[in-house]
Structures are given as C-alpha cells and as structure tokens.
Amino acid sequence: PLTFFYLTSAADRLLIVEPHHGVGIYSILGLPGNRLGTQLIGEYKLSHFPMACFDVMEDPLRFAAGNKHNKIMLFSPQNEEGLIGSPQRPVVKLRCIGKITSLQFLPDNQQRLLSCEEQKTIRLWDLNSLASLIMVETDGLLQKFIPRSDLQVAYIDDKNMIRIIQIKDKLQVLDLGEVSSFEEIRVSQSEEYTLCGSAKTGCLDIWDNRSLQRKGSLIKEGNLQVIDVIIDGPTGRVIVAYSPNIITIWNLENCFDLESFEVGIGITNITKFKKNQILVLGTDHKVRLYGMNPIQILATTEAFSQDWKIEGFLVIPNYQLIVCGIRRGGAIWLPYATDDSPFRLKLEDLIQFPIHKGGLFDLTLSQDGEYVTTCGADKKAKVWTIGSMITHSKNPKVACKCSVRGTEPIVSAVLDSSNRWLYTASHGQKCHMWAIPSGVLLRTWENPTGILHMRIIERWNRIAYVEAHDHCLVMEPLTHPELLGSFVSAVF
C-alpha cells in the first residue's frame, strides 16, 4: 500500500514510498497534448526495513526513513554531478532506543534532523557528527512536527495543542508550554499573502503566496482573541480586531505593531471600506467608519435590529451596498450613502430575505464585485447577481444566478475570477467544482480531514483551504475542466 509520497517544489520529481517494499523516485515529463508522464529514475529496495515514517529535504535531494524498531537511515540519491541513481547503501545510520514514529528535517539547517520515539521522546541529531545534541521527554504524545527554525521545535500533541521547545545555545531546552488551541481559525488573504492562525491566542502566521514560505508571525501580548483580520495589500499593513474592543495595525514587512487603539464598544466584524478607511460593526448594532491616517472616527450610523445575528459582513463599492449574512440563514442588502455625510446607512431601503434553511456558513464576494456567493446547512450553495438584486428587490429569488446542491451541509463556497467555476467544500470530506450558471458538477475530490474554510488566490492560480482535523493551511493549483487533476503545492 502507498503510505507516503512527496512532490518536489519544482514539480519535477515525485517520491513514492511503499513501507514494505521501498522508495521509488520518478521524473515528471511533459508529453504532447498538455499531458504529464513519469519515468522511474531511482529505486531503493528496502523490504528488510519496514518504514514507519519518512521525510524529504531538497537541494540536494535526500530522504530519511525511520522503521518500527529503532533505526533511522538517510539516503542521498544525487551524486556530485547532480544525477539521481539508486545506491542502496545509506549515507547515514542512526540508532535510537524506541520505535521511531516521526521524522523532520529542520528547514533552516539541512544538517539537523528531528526524530521522535514512541510519540514521547524528541531527539535533535547533527548529521555531520551523527551525535544526538538534545533529548526531550514531551508531556503529551506527539502527533505531528511543525517546521519552525534551528532554535525552535514545535509539535502538535494528542490534546491538539501546539507546544514549542526553545533551544538556547544549542544546549539548554525551554518548554514554552501550550501555545495555541486550534478550536477557532482566522484566515485572511490578499494577492501576495495569506494569514492563518488561532483565534484564541491571537497568533497569526503570514505565508507568502508565491514562495509558499512562512514570512513571520503577528503575536499580540496578552493572548487576546482574534475577532477579524484585514490585509491591506497596497499599504503593506494588516489590521486585526482583538476581543473585546482593540484594533491593531501591523506592518506586513517586518511584523511590527505600528499602532493600537480602542473603540468605545465591543467589536463584531471589521471590513475595509476605502483607502485608509475601515468599517467596524459593534455589539451595539451600529456601524462606525474609522480613518486610519490619522486614526479618527468619521461617522457612526443609527443602530439596526438587534434580532440580526450577523455572520458575514461585505462592502460592495460598485453598488454602494453592504451585505450582511444572518446566522439563521438570511441575508440583508443594506444600501449606504456618502453624499450628504461621510457614511450613512439607508435603513429605509434595506432588503431582507431568507437564503438558506438551517443556518448560513459562508458569505463571499466575487473578485469583480458583481456576485455574492453563499452556502449553508441546507446543503446548497448559491450565486447571487448584485445588480439584479437591486432592480428586483421585491422578488429577491430572481437575483439567484445559480443554485447547486450537495449531499452534505456546505461550509465554504467561492467563485474563480472568471465567475465560470464555483468551488465548494462540504461538512464531511468532499469538495466539488461546479459550472456556472448551469450548475453542472465537473469534479469531486476528497479531503480526509474535512475543510473549514476555502478561498482562491487568483494571481498565483491557487486554491487555499484550512483542514478541519489538524488545521493545516493547504494550497493547491487551481484546476480547470480540461485539467482535472492536481498536486498539493504545500501544506502548512
């Protein structure tokens, strides 16, 4: 059975591992008709070495394998000329005390390897001296290593907590304890960056969408809960709303806290309005317009109905419209005016109507600002035409351009930039790709852990989603109907 596989970042090599047979290294070839083929260029027969874990390091290509007993083997397929062959002898052999359950090369130092025995004992190996530099007994069972740095070891334990071990002077070990519990995830994206992190601890990691590398982290002292996040790409800033009423402006390049200020009421949502302006939805059911340079409140609207329990909050500048999603499955189309004041809600012109039975799960705006996508507990995803909604306000159903139905509640839905393809993720493990406006199902694929959140990064032709079980951020190439296969680009 296939247990491990690895695609190199250049997408030119594929490593396939069969635990009771060995490792095959394949070259990926371009064939006529935009097809791909493979050619076996290296093979390691390791039937005497039943593998339990596996990790790969690139440039130069090499891989480490741990078995169910207590041995680690390191193989280097590339010779001095960079050619890949099939030498059967490992370049390094390491012996531990217990069964090897996890392996991880350090991303900042190719000569360091992490191993875990019996999900309990972590060792840091120096591959030059073949010495065990550090041994740490963990408090909980290790489930997964998280690549960090040469001076930090991070892992997820059996209680779904992230723990970090700090290595000082490469000798001392400091256990930083429980860092974050992934019960709530906050995600925000721009063309250049993706932010993803724990809502409970206020720690947000910045990922570069092009290189798929972690750029840094935004860490707020006091473990404040994250309510909402905005990436303002043109200004290079990130605006984060923390519970209960703090807004912090971060510099995206160096992760510095530029400025923090408190609003007079608890925060429910924030969203970008115009350049250097944001809208803040408060717990008092009022919308406030804030200027960011300098920070000042420009306008406060009258309160709307307390019966609205807002789940989503979108600003549509093309139509001077705010779209609010209601928890029980409805939507509110709320016009605003800026002619006689900096900002005013036109509550007398609002449109309120049900869109999903049982609850609304996701609300997104198309990239051209002409369509709104919703999905909910009724197993449906819908695409709404904003212009038709305004002209047919007395019959909102006319504005529904397309409605698709899955077999399970749909937790996330998003359109691509052409508005021709709709991507959805179900409450279970299935993802779907639909044609718009026909609603024809084009493709189905499964994610074993389920999906919490899905978005498209059009500039780099990628689709990103957060997995439900281990809360990894995964990016895949966008798949079009003529290319109905995909490789995972990166898992964070």
Side-chain angles (χ1 to χ4, degrees):
L2 172 67
T3 301
F4 309 103
F5 65 94
Y6 181 88
L7 180 71
T8 59
S9 57
D12 60 347
R13 299 284 187 269
L14 180 67
L15 280 72
I16 296 181
V17 182
E18 301 169 77
H20 299 287
H21 176 70
V23 179
I25 303 176
Y26 294 81
S27 175
I28 298 179
L29 309 173
L31 299 178
N34 291 325
R35 293 181 298 124
L36 294 177
T38 60
Q39 178 181 359
L40 182 66
I41 58 175
E43 187 174 21
Y44 292 77
K45 297 185 182 298
L46 302 174
S47 56
H48 63 287
F49 188 80
M51 286 174 281
C53 50
F54 184 81
D55 195 33
V56 179
M57 175 65 76
E58 298 185 43
D59 196 25
L61 181 66
R62 55 183 177 172
F63 63 89
N67 69 1
K68 296 180 179 180
H69 303 295
N70 59 356
K71 293 181 181 178
I72 301 173
M73 291 189 180
L74 181 69
F75 294 87
S76 182
Q78 287 181 267
N79 58 25
E80 294 180 357
E81 288 78 28
L83 300 177
I84 294 180
S86 307
Q88 298 301 309
R89 296 179 63 85
V91 294
V92 171
K93 289 184 180 180
L94 304 173
R95 184 178 293 273
C96 301
I97 304 298
K99 173 185 173 182
I100 310 299
T101 53
S102 296
L103 288 174
Q104 175 75 61
F105 285 102
L106 283 185
D108 295 349
N109 191 332
Q110 297 185 10
Q111 299 303 318
R112 298 289 164 81
L113 179 70
L114 288 168
S115 68
C116 184
E117 305 163 36
E118 306 290 348
Q119 294 184 290
K120 193 75 176 175
T121 303
I122 296 176
R123 295 179 189 267
L124 178 63
W125 298 90
D126 184 283
L127 299 181
N128 290 322
S129 63
L130 306 185
S132 174
L133 302 179
I134 291 174
M135 183 183 73
V136 180
E137 295 290 336
T138 63
D139 292 335
L141 297 179
L142 183 142
Q143 300 297 318
K144 183 178 182 179
F145 278 121
I146 304 174
R148 195 102 178 151
S149 69
D150 191 22
L151 299 179
Q152 285 187 345
V153 176
Y155 63 93
I156 300 177
D157 67 12
D158 55 338
K159 296 179 182 178
N160 206 27
M161 307 299 291
I162 292 183
R163 305 185 71 89
I164 297 178
I165 297 172
Q166 182 77 29
I167 304 169
K168 291 188 175 180
D169 299 326
K170 298 184 175 61
L171 293 175
Q172 292 182 329
V173 176
L174 172 65
D175 190 346
L176 299 183
E178 297 176 353
V179 174
S180 55
S181 172
F182 278 140
E183 295 179 8
E184 294 183 66
I185 301 296
R186 290 291 182 268
V187 178
S188 182
Q189 286 171 317
S190 68
E191 293 295 334
E192 297 290 341
Y193 301 105
T194 296
L195 263 71
C196 182
S198 167
K200 284 200 167 183
T201 65
C203 178
L204 296 165
D205 285 335
I206 303 172
W207 298 95
D208 187 290
N209 293 337
R210 184 178 186 181
S211 65
L212 303 178
Q213 299 295 318
R214 188 172 70 88
K215 179 180 177 63
S217 298
L218 309 180
I219 302 175
K220 186 74 171 176
E221 294 182 1
N223 285 344
L224 299 177
Q225 182 173 348
V226 176
I227 298 172
D228 213 347
V229 184
I230 301 171
I231 300 181
D232 191 2
T235 63
R237 296 183 300 182
V238 177
I239 303 170
V240 184
Y242 296 96
S243 179
N245 61 350
I246 297 175
I247 294 179
T248 299
I249 304 172
W250 298 85
N251 186 312
L252 195 57
E253 288 299 318
N254 53 27
C255 302
F256 282 172
D257 180 342
L258 297 177
E259 192 167 2
S260 293
F261 63 98
E262 293 186 8
V263 300
I265 196 68
I267 300 172
T268 302
N269 293 95
I270 63 173
T271 189
K272 186 177 177 182
F273 183 55
K274 295 181 179 179
K275 185 177 181 181
N276 292 322
Q277 293 182 354
I278 63 170
L279 292 176
V280 178
L281 176 62
T283 54
D284 60 351
H285 308 284
K286 294 182 180 181
V287 177
R288 291 168 173 81
L289 175 64
Y290 279 87
M292 296 287 100
N293 188 21
I295 294 175
Q296 57 182 323
I297 186 166
L298 302 177
T300 302
T301 70
E302 62 269 45
F304 46 71
S305 173
Q306 296 186 12
D307 295 334
W308 303 351
K309 295 183 178 178
I310 304 299
E311 285 290 301
F313 188 55
L314 299 176
V315 176
I316 308 174
N318 300 9
Y319 296 92
Q320 288 196 270
L321 190 70
I322 290 177
V323 178
C324 300
I326 304 176
R327 184 176 302 172
R328 61 176 179 265
I332 300 164
W333 302 70
L334 190 57
Y336 63 84
T338 58
D339 48 0
D340 55 349
S341 64
F343 182 82
R344 178 176 61 86
L345 293 179
K346 300 168 67 176
L347 293 177
E348 66 276 7
D349 295 331
L350 70 85
I351 307 168
Q352 182 178 354
F353 63 101
I355 52 176
H356 293 284
K357 297 179 180 180
L360 175 70
F361 289 161
D362 200 9
L363 178 74
T364 60
L365 180 66
S366 66
Q367 296 188 34
D368 61 2
E370 296 293 329
Y371 301 96
V372 168
T373 304
T374 64
C375 60
D378 57 359
K379 306 177 184 178
K380 293 182 179 180
K382 298 181 180 182
V383 180
W384 303 87
T385 306
I386 301 170
S388 297
M389 174 58 68
I390 295 174
T391 56
H392 298 86
S393 59
K394 294 183 179 180
N395 186 13
K397 292 184 179 180
V398 176
C400 185
K401 181 178 181 179
C402 181
S403 177
V404 299
R405 183 181 178 90
T407 57
E408 297 175 293
I410 299 176
V411 298
S412 195
V414 61
L415 281 169
D416 78 325
S417 63
S418 68
N419 300 323
R420 295 172 58 201
W421 324 117
L422 175 67
Y423 295 83
T424 62
S426 299
H427 182 69
Q429 301 175 348
K430 291 185 178 180
C431 300
H432 302 283
M433 178 183 177
W434 313 81
I436 302 298
S438 66
V440 174
L441 179 61
L442 300 175
R443 178 192 173 208
T444 299
W445 73 99
E446 291 194 7
N447 183 284
T449 67
I451 290 176
L452 291 177
H453 175 99
M454 177 185 288
R455 291 293 182 266
I456 286 177
I457 307 170
E458 192 72 30
R459 179 172 181 178
W460 307 117
N461 197 41
R462 294 190 177 115
I463 187 166
Y465 52 85
V466 178
E467 294 182 327
H469 178 64
D470 53 9
H471 299 93
C472 287
L473 176 65
V474 179
M475 290 192 184
E476 292 185 2
L478 266 179
T479 305
H480 297 291
E482 61 270 15
L483 298 172
L484 291 183
S486 69
F487 289 111
V488 173
S489 300
V491 179
F492 305 135

